[in-house]
Amino acid sequence: MEKRLCILFLVFSLSFLTTETFGQARLLRYGDKQAGLENYSKALEAYKDAYNRRSTYGTAVRLAKTYSLLGMYDEAFEWWERAVSFEESDRDDYSVYLRSAVQAGQWDSIEGLLSAKGYSEYDFPELDLAGMRELRSQKANVKLVPVEGVNSAGSDFGASKDADGAHYFSSDRGQVGDAGSRPGIRLDAKPNIFNEERSGYNEREFYRIYKKDGGGDVSVVVTDLAGALHVNDPSVAPDLGLVFYTAFVGKSKMKGTRDFTNHAGIYYGRLDVDGNITGSIAFPYNDHQSYGVMNPFIDTEAKRVYFASDMPGGQGGFDIYYVEYDAEMNFSAPVNLGPEVNTSENESHPSRSGESFYFSSRGHMGLGGMDVFVADYSKGNISNVRNMGLPFNSERDDFAFVVSGDGKRYLSSDRFGGMGLDDIYSVEDLFKILLASVSDCEGNVVLDYSSELKRSDNSPVDSRLNSEGQLLAELDPDDDFVLRISKKGHFPLTDSGITTKGFDSDTLRREYVLAAIPYRTPVYVDIVYYDLDRSEIRKDAAPSLDKIGELMSKYSFMDLVVSSHTDSRASDAYNEALSERRADAVRDYLGRFGIERSRIRLEWHGERKLVNDCGDGVPCPEAEHQLNRRSELVLEAFPDTEKEYELPEGIEDPCELPGYLERIAEDAGLPTVYFDFDRSGIRQVHRKELERVGVMMKRKGDLRLYIEGHTDQRGSDVYNMGLSERRAKAVMDYLVNRGVDDSRMEHSWYGESRPVNDCSTGDCTEAQHQQNRRTTLRVSGK
């Protein structure tokens, strides 16, 4: 009896196990069928029931992969963790497990997960963990801000704007079926629609296109496309009045039997006054039963439509293509962007702005899930693909990066901390833009200059010139900066007042002026005279030298040129040495002001440069010889043409420097030449003064001299007019004889019409009459 009971129990147990095994097999077959139809919500239910009946490696893998396809990375990581615990799991399973850990936000656990199995990151080169680490160490200076009024508890993504600035986006907001809060179909999905009220993919509401208007009101965009279920991915072309979008149509509109896969297609139509889509037309390359076509982006500048498709002939998975169109919306054959952009995995959501092309990818090296990438765009060619890094990308799915017509940037993501399953973010700069223009004193734009921008910690900030020749730099928030701009032969400028502290605007603008250094500009000219055969500084020379000493002490950018001479009364060799001693005497005198000897350049000429005809053997009065015994003193500003001088203190506008130097020169004064009664000859006392004027005019080639002759009021108007002309001409002739070009001088005469003292009543003293008998001098720049 006992033996019979044991046999019966064994038979019952075997029968039960067989029933359980067959039941699990049926569930797995059903789940695989639903997964093949991409009806993943039903597949998950079947796989879970099968696993609950009997936990196996194969069922755990099925669940992990299905959750991953749905973008439910936390659940996928949980099931991969179970899968790799089975003995049947291998190294490839562990690689996927590690990737799922990253996608689930477990980056900090990677080292522990590797060491737990005796692995190192070098055992999984396909993951490129070192590349991930490098990407995580670099972060763009921007922040992502949820777009107000568009996000919900569901899946919201995309951004496209019409001419009025209304924001069009995709959303599956609304009630959720039995599948709970599962991600939307938004990516790479081609669902078989069994339930025409909700998506069989994940039991969520179908996607619709929504519009947020300028007042913040959100409404559904209605399309006239018959049988449309999912409608998403709007790309608005305001100048064409068109909108392109992705759509899935119901099975009642499809040919075939119940078991088919409904792929996405692209349609386009017009936006009416209410923002709804009318006149929808199918994109010519749709094939709903064979492959998907989705994520359109219309590039009106290049007259292209970019899109993603898994049509035959690609690199694998979904690739990015483009077609060109004409005015009648005739489309060229699709062009695959090639292996530079496309991989064996899925690429999607293309867009372009200026010289940058954007797309999302699961195949390029990224941070975990789907990442956003940028490439260079030039003349229709796309190259130099690179990951946009943090914070554009996260461990989760990041996609649909677009720059709208108003320059605002948008990104969609299911990253942690969002409001719903997917959220739309605007990208806002954390840095401020420095935009500086540099011009010369004539207002011409300067381009060939050097710049150095530093933070408060002295670290450098990169800068560049934009297409308009403006200096462009990105400034960190809440910091101070110093900018130095320089160009050879120009005064460098330093701006230490640049700060982003408390600065609310996006762009900090500056205008700078680079002024040329006026090298070797004569500022002050004078002459000192010597006694016969002497080199000592006379008392009458001391005021002039004291003035020069004061100027050189005050202005470090000024040097003195001393040119010493003798008369002709001695041998050439003797006079050469005497003139040298006279130059040395000037330098020694200025030493009492602490002037460095290197700032005084000495020249001596003996008797080789006489100012008159008193050469060897020519009898001349002592006064004429005296004019030759001299040292000409020329104070030059910025004498070293190889030196980069700083702008003198007290000068805020470098373009005012010439006037500043002129005011220094005016301190020396120009003489007034007085004449004897009814005479036009130059008095001896004024010849030294005119000698100095002659030296100044020869040294300062940019000056013009104006000479004005006058008389007293004793004599007829006609006579005095002629006399004043002769007096002005006498001064001009004297200077011409001293080597001043007459084209640089103008002389005029006024007779008695402009007296200093009105002596028309005849009651003036002789001294007052003398003040009227004069010739005045004034100068101006060219």
Side-chain angles (χ1 to χ4, degrees):
M1 182 67 180
E2 182 176 350
K3 181 177 181 181
R4 185 179 300 169
L5 289 174
C6 289
I7 293 172
L8 288 173
F9 178 76
L10 180 61
V11 170
F12 175 80
S13 298
L14 290 172
S15 175
F16 177 79
L17 290 173
T18 302
T19 301
E20 286 293 299
T21 302
F22 287 152
Q24 184 190 44
R26 285 197 302 271
L27 287 170
L28 291 177
R29 284 196 302 273
Y30 176 75
D32 290 345
K33 181 179 180 180
Q34 296 305 313
L37 294 172
E38 296 173 353
N39 194 0
Y40 296 121
S41 63
K42 299 297 183 182
L44 278 175
E45 292 176 3
Y47 292 150
K48 283 184 178 179
D49 284 348
Y51 192 85
N52 289 335
R53 292 190 179 207
R54 182 165 175 249
S55 57
T56 64
Y57 159 76
T59 308
V61 169
R62 285 177 171 87
L63 282 160
K65 288 182 176 179
T66 305
Y67 276 119
S68 182
L69 286 170
L70 284 168
M72 301 176 72
Y73 295 125
D74 291 336
E75 291 82 355
F77 172 61
E78 176 187 341
W79 282 101
W80 274 118
E81 193 166 40
R82 294 187 188 186
V84 298
S85 68
F86 288 90
E87 291 184 359
E88 299 99 310
S89 67
D90 58 18
R91 176 255 180 218
D92 291 341
D93 292 327
Y94 212 78
S95 177
V96 182
Y97 169 55
L98 292 172
R99 180 176 291 278
S100 73
V102 174
Q103 294 171 331
Q106 301 292 323
W107 171 260
D108 293 338
S109 302
I110 290 296
E111 291 296 332
L113 296 178
L114 285 168
S115 60
K117 291 285 187 177
Y119 287 122
S120 75
E121 66 180 76
Y122 303 107
D123 294 315
F124 301 96
E126 70 276 13
L127 297 180
D128 194 4
L129 296 174
M132 288 189 193
R133 189 177 297 108
E134 182 177 357
L135 283 175
R136 295 176 69 87
S137 68
Q138 302 169 1
K139 186 175 182 179
N141 207 12
V142 299
K143 63 179 179 180
L144 301 188
V145 179
V147 177
E148 185 177 355
V150 302
N151 294 316
S152 68
S155 173
D156 307 281
F157 65 92
S160 189
K161 293 185 177 181
D162 63 17
D164 297 324
H167 182 160
Y168 291 76
F169 62 99
S170 306
S171 178
D172 71 346
R173 58 191 63 191
Q175 293 182 342
V176 179
D178 296 338
S181 58
R182 292 176 180 169
I185 186 176
R186 52 163 168 82
L187 304 172
D188 316 333
K190 312 172 289 292
N192 178 10
I193 306 301
F194 291 108
N195 182 342
E196 296 202 1
E197 294 180 356
R198 291 192 178 91
S199 169
Y201 187 86
N202 58 6
E203 288 294 322
R204 291 195 56 79
E205 290 289 326
F206 292 122
Y207 275 97
R208 294 288 179 263
I209 296 174
Y210 288 79
K211 180 182 75 171
K212 176 190 174 186
D213 62 24
D217 294 328
V218 176
S219 59
V220 174
V221 174
V222 178
T223 175
D224 63 349
L225 181 62
L229 299 179
H230 287 288
V231 180
N232 52 284
D233 294 334
S235 177
V236 180
D239 46 350
L240 298 178
L242 296 177
V243 56
F244 282 69
Y245 60 95
T246 301
F248 299 84
V249 295
K251 65 179 181 177
S252 61
K253 304 298 179 182
M254 304 294 296
K255 297 179 180 180
T257 64
R258 183 177 185 277
D259 294 338
F260 66 87
T261 300
N262 177 11
H263 296 268
I266 291 175
Y267 294 81
Y268 63 96
R270 295 196 172 274
L271 290 173
D272 64 18
V273 293
D274 297 321
N276 295 319
I277 302 174
T278 63
S280 292
I281 300 173
F283 191 56
Y285 300 105
N286 292 346
D287 189 339
H288 288 283
Q289 296 189 56
S290 301
Y291 55 81
V293 182
M294 61 184 188
N295 308 145
F297 175 81
I298 184 163
D299 182 350
T300 55
E301 181 184 9
K303 289 183 167 49
R304 289 180 174 181
V305 177
Y306 292 95
F307 60 93
S309 176
D310 61 346
M311 64 177 59
Q315 303 294 320
F318 274 79
D319 284 5
I320 296 177
Y321 294 79
Y322 73 84
V323 295
E324 295 180 340
Y325 64 87
D326 60 20
E328 287 74 38
M329 299 308 291
N330 297 309
F331 299 98
S332 68
V335 177
N336 189 294
L337 291 187
E340 179 85 12
V341 170
N342 296 314
T343 69
S344 60
E345 300 292 333
N346 294 327
E347 279 71 45
S348 62
H349 298 91
S351 69
R352 182 177 81 87
S353 177
E355 297 177 353
S356 296
F357 182 83
Y358 305 95
F359 65 98
S360 298
S361 174
R362 293 186 183 275
H364 290 279
M365 192 277 288
L367 289 173
M370 181 181 300
D371 278 13
V372 179
F373 293 81
V374 62
D376 296 333
Y377 178 93
S378 177
K379 298 179 180 178
N381 298 313
I382 298 170
S383 60
N384 190 26
V385 172
R386 52 207 182 273
N387 191 298
M388 292 186 69
L390 297 173
F392 299 99
N393 293 313
S394 66
E395 298 92 345
R396 311 290 288 214
D397 288 338
D398 307 283
F399 57 100
F401 182 93
V402 65
V403 182
S404 64
D406 56 9
K408 293 184 177 179
R409 295 162 291 174
Y410 296 94
L411 170 72
S412 301
S413 176
D414 70 341
R415 65 188 56 202
F416 296 111
M419 178 178 180
L421 304 178
D422 297 296
D423 289 302
I424 305 170
Y425 298 86
S426 65
V427 181
E428 298 184 6
D429 294 322
L430 286 176
F431 52 76
K432 305 294 184 181
I433 300 297
L434 172 65
L435 193 62
S437 59
V438 182
S439 60
D440 60 22
C441 289
E442 285 70 46
N444 302 310
V445 175
V446 179
L447 298 176
D448 53 338
Y449 61 86
S450 300
S451 63
E452 184 180 56
L453 181 62
K454 292 188 175 182
R455 301 178 178 86
S456 57
D457 63 1
N458 212 37
S459 61
V461 178
D462 291 335
S463 62
R464 63 187 185 279
L465 293 184
N466 65 15
S467 59
E468 298 178 0
Q470 296 169 306
L471 180 71
L472 192 65
E474 297 172 351
L475 304 181
D476 302 311
D478 298 318
D479 203 355
D480 299 318
F481 304 84
V482 176
L483 173 64
R484 184 175 176 84
I485 295 176
S486 60
K487 179 182 178 181
K488 184 174 177 58
H490 292 69
F491 290 109
L493 56 90
T494 301
D495 186 353
S496 56
I498 300 174
T499 183
T500 53
K501 294 177 179 177
F503 187 75
D504 295 329
S505 300
D506 293 331
T507 304
L508 190 146
R509 301 178 185 275
R510 287 287 193 274
E511 293 182 359
Y512 300 109
V513 175
L514 276 179
I517 300 173
Y519 288 113
R520 292 187 175 177
T521 298
V523 175
Y524 186 92
V525 176
D526 211 339
I527 301 176
V528 295
Y529 293 93
Y530 300 87
D531 292 332
L532 176 64
D533 196 27
R534 310 296 296 180
S535 59
E536 295 85 0
I537 301 300
R538 298 192 321 204
K539 288 183 178 182
D540 62 354
S544 296
L545 292 176
D546 289 346
K547 178 66 175 180
I548 289 174
E550 293 170 1
L551 289 173
M552 293 184 74
S553 297
K554 184 176 181 180
Y555 303 109
S556 61
F557 58 87
M558 293 183 183
D559 286 359
L560 181 66
V561 179
V562 180
S563 180
S564 296
H565 308 265
T566 69
D567 60 25
S568 60
R569 291 180 294 180
S571 68
D572 290 347
Y574 184 85
N575 285 337
E576 191 78 16
L578 177 59
S579 64
E580 181 180 5
R581 292 194 297 274
R582 288 173 174 170
D584 288 338
V586 172
R587 183 170 59 189
D588 293 342
Y589 185 94
L590 293 174
R592 69 182 65 179
F593 291 90
I595 307 300
E596 297 178 6
R597 295 170 68 86
S598 61
R599 292 180 60 197
I600 304 173
R601 188 169 79 247
L602 303 183
E603 300 173 356
W604 52 90
H605 305 280
E607 61 182 271
R608 296 193 304 277
K609 295 186 177 182
L610 303 176
V611 299
N612 49 38
D613 295 328
C614 298
D616 292 340
V618 177
C620 282
E622 176 58 26
E624 294 296 319
H625 283 302
Q626 174 66 93
L627 295 177
N628 289 323
R629 297 194 302 269
R630 71 200 190 280
S631 284
E632 297 173 357
L633 312 174
V634 180
L635 196 58
E636 289 184 341
F638 316 109
D640 187 351
T641 57
E642 296 301 317
K643 183 176 178 180
E644 298 296 325
Y645 290 91
E646 296 289 337
L647 189 67
E649 292 185 9
I651 303 296
E652 295 184 2
D653 184 352
C655 298
E656 293 181 353
L657 184 62
Y660 180 76
L661 297 178
E662 285 295 331
R663 288 191 291 274
I664 296 175
E666 288 172 1
D667 290 343
L670 288 171
T672 297
V673 180
Y674 294 99
F675 296 85
D676 293 334
F677 177 69
D678 198 23
R679 294 288 184 269
S680 59
I682 303 297
R683 291 176 178 174
Q684 188 65 40
V685 69
H686 294 306
R687 293 192 175 191
K688 290 182 180 179
E689 296 171 335
L690 291 177
E691 289 293 331
R692 184 172 65 82
V693 174
V695 173
M696 179 184 71
M697 290 296 292
K698 287 189 286 184
R699 292 281 187 168
K700 301 186 69 172
D702 60 336
L703 293 182
R704 292 189 63 81
L705 182 65
Y706 299 90
I707 305 167
E708 301 173 349
H710 307 268
T711 68
D712 61 22
Q713 293 168 297
R714 293 178 293 179
S716 69
D717 291 345
V718 175
Y719 182 83
N720 284 339
M721 189 64 71
L723 178 58
S724 63
E725 179 183 5
R726 293 193 295 277
R727 286 173 175 172
K729 192 172 187 308
V731 172
M732 183 172 177
D733 289 343
Y734 188 96
L735 294 172
V736 168
N737 288 334
R738 294 301 182 265
V740 181
D741 191 336
D742 61 0
S743 66
R744 296 176 54 210
M745 295 184 287
E746 294 181 20
H747 69 296
S748 54
W749 50 94
Y750 301 95
E752 62 182 81
S753 63
R754 296 183 180 182
V756 175
N757 303 300
D758 185 5
C759 299
S760 58
T761 59
D763 57 352
C764 284
T765 65
E766 180 57 31
Q768 290 174 312
H769 285 301
Q770 174 66 91
Q771 288 179 322
N772 289 334
R773 298 193 301 268
R774 72 202 188 279
T775 291
T776 58
L777 308 178
R778 63 182 178 87
V779 294
S780 70
K782 287 184 179 178

